[in-house]
Amino acid sequence: MTGGVQAGDAAAGDKPLARAFEQVPPETPIAMPVQDFSVAPPLVVRRRFNIDLWARRLLVVLLALIPAAMAAHEMRRSIGLDGISLWEGVYLALFIPLFAWIAFGFATALIGFLLLTVGKGRSVTPRAMHAAAPLQGRTAILLPVCNEDFLGVLGRLSIMERSLAQVMGGERFEFFILSDSNADSGETEKRAYLEMRGAFSRPVYYRRRARNIGRKPGNIAEWIERFGGGYDYMVVLDADSVMSGQTMARLASDMERHPHVGLIQTVPTVMGAATLFARWQQFASRLFGPTSAAGMIWWAGSEGMFWGHNAIVRVRAFAQSCGLPELPGRAPFGGHIMSHDMLEAALLRRRGWDVHMVTADDSFEEFPPAMPDLFTRDRRWCQGNIQHVPLLFRIKGLHPVSRFQLLVGASAYCTSPAWLALMLVVLGGAIAGLWPPSAVLPSGGLLAVTAALLFGPKILAMIWALSDPARRIGFGGGVRMTRGVLADIALSMLMAPVAMLTQTINLFGILMGRKSSWNGQTRDRDGMGAVDAIWLFKWHILLGIVLTAMAVQAGGLGWIIPVVAGLLTAPALAALTARKDLGRRAEQSGLFQVADPWWRTQSYRPLRFRWPTAEERRVSALAANDE
């Protein structure tokens, strides 16, 4: 083990380097060349055309397009009997793609529901590791951190480390904490790591870089170039991730049995919720997520996606395929690639490696504790996904499904301004006397279909959960589950217009060159001030007032009330759902109840850490200065 490597000072005139520290094994380098997007690389693995998989994709597309075509025909009969004007053409151009988008989500959830109920989910879950096939390869478990609650990181690591001790082949796994924290946080991490490393039963290495180059993908690339040659696979986690040793061993076993697979992504669910907002999202993730995820896994097949964490990756394939260049030009389209994970999956598939997704009951992540924290993270994702648009045309050799997934990721952030534009077109046309609002709103039948597409996935998820006694008990029984779904629908209706305007503002700000920062995420919060909430959502309140005035002038206020209500109550919704006491009350009353994660039912618990006293921290600081 390399002991206590410290970075020197920067050259004169440069910004001083943060003092780096590492306790790592001997280096085993491997090359990770930067990819040339202008030339299609040779295929490492060649696969035959899979007609079954393409038939699945065609079915999903048809299930989305048929309702959209029926809706277009119905709206054409309502407003186009005497020809379509420019204003009506704009309305239809917005309405039809948005309806197809909703239908696509319903089709994916419907297929997932059928797989989980009729098919018992056999095609979307990892197989159990065969007892007679011990693991041969070595796996590194990477935990990138950046100014995180390090005691929480070590606590989650201890859960996984003890879980690995209970599975066959657990000795083939080693942990690496890869830090990009600043100097102050780095000193805290160093003290905690040195105090606790002896408590682990397997190697747990730590490295903090002197320079944060390339953010998380640069962090992982630096590890690959220095140590990747000594490991066959790497399990990539986030600082808030937890995955059981059993699932990690199963994933490693699948990688060994299928040498053409470059990456397997688990679908993580939410854990550790404390605020009312996080508990709500945790409930929605656990209940509604599995059906949609199963459908997506079914049609994606070997062209799955990568979300940057809770996945296992073949190190050699990743090093060969995923060296990311720094894009020319200014943000948002230039600079470091922000949403690197989806692009890395596309680059693996570009060389022929399979990328699969699986569901797993013991793969977890945390969720932002409040609406503002979610929107901050979402802004980074927005810039990263918009950055992919020119790459769709620049990167040679991408698989067609990879191009589709990158396009869908970018277009998801265009639906919010499209919904806002659709409402303004309806109200503007009514004010101008082009139509009464009732003429362009969906008819009773079409409205029923729209409601079925919107709420159908939630109903299907409830049926799936109620059909299994153990699963039903995990959600507190049928009555509590129903109460949670009704509360979710009400809160979602209030939050939807808030997210619509926030994403619209973020999108236009990014297109104007206001790039997103990439700092440590806010993972803990307890409430927010009323004044801060009002100021944060001032544009939402203003839009709510404007839409109300337009609806009154247009003579049709009823249909816009849910949108206006969400916009005007945004500060109150954000402030109330950010409170931990309301989260505790919800837990005590059984609202948004979910089953405990697996480690709550085991004999082991997270390690208890003794944080240094003030005097110990003072002595440590003096010793560091003496060095």
Side-chain angles (χ1 to χ4, degrees), residues 12 36 236 250 300 320 391 569 590 612:
D36 183 359
V236 183
R250 287 177 177 177
Q320 179 189 51
L391 295 179
T569 61

Side-chain angles (χ1 to χ4, degrees), residues 32 35 37 214-222 224 234 236 262-265 302-309 311 313-314 317-325 336-356 384 388 391 395 398-399 402 405-406:
M32 188 171 180
Q35 298 300 298
F37 290 166
R215 302 186 177 95
K216 181 179 176 179
N219 197 353
I220 293 176
E222 190 259 7
I224 291 174
M234 57 183 185
V236 183
L263 185 149
I264 304 176
Q265 170 71 64
S302 56
E303 286 75 49
M305 289 185 284
F306 179 36
W307 295 319
H309 57 90
V313 185
R314 193 177 301 274
F318 195 86
Q320 179 189 51
S321 309
C322 298
L324 299 179
H336 292 290
I337 296 174
M338 298 191 70
S339 289
H340 56 93
D341 35 28
M342 291 182 63
L343 187 60
E344 287 162 347
L347 293 177
L348 280 169
R349 198 67 192 94
R350 181 178 178 233
R351 284 188 176 266
W353 296 101
D354 282 7
V355 177
H356 287 275
H388 293 160
L391 295 179
I395 302 179
L398 285 182
H399 192 281
S402 297
Q405 290 166 341
L406 293 174

Side-chain angles (χ1 to χ4, degrees), residues 92 131 182 233 281 320 602 608:
L92 291 175
N182 59 33
Y233 319 110
Q281 298 300 324
Q320 179 189 51
Q602 301 294 321
R608 298 295 181 183

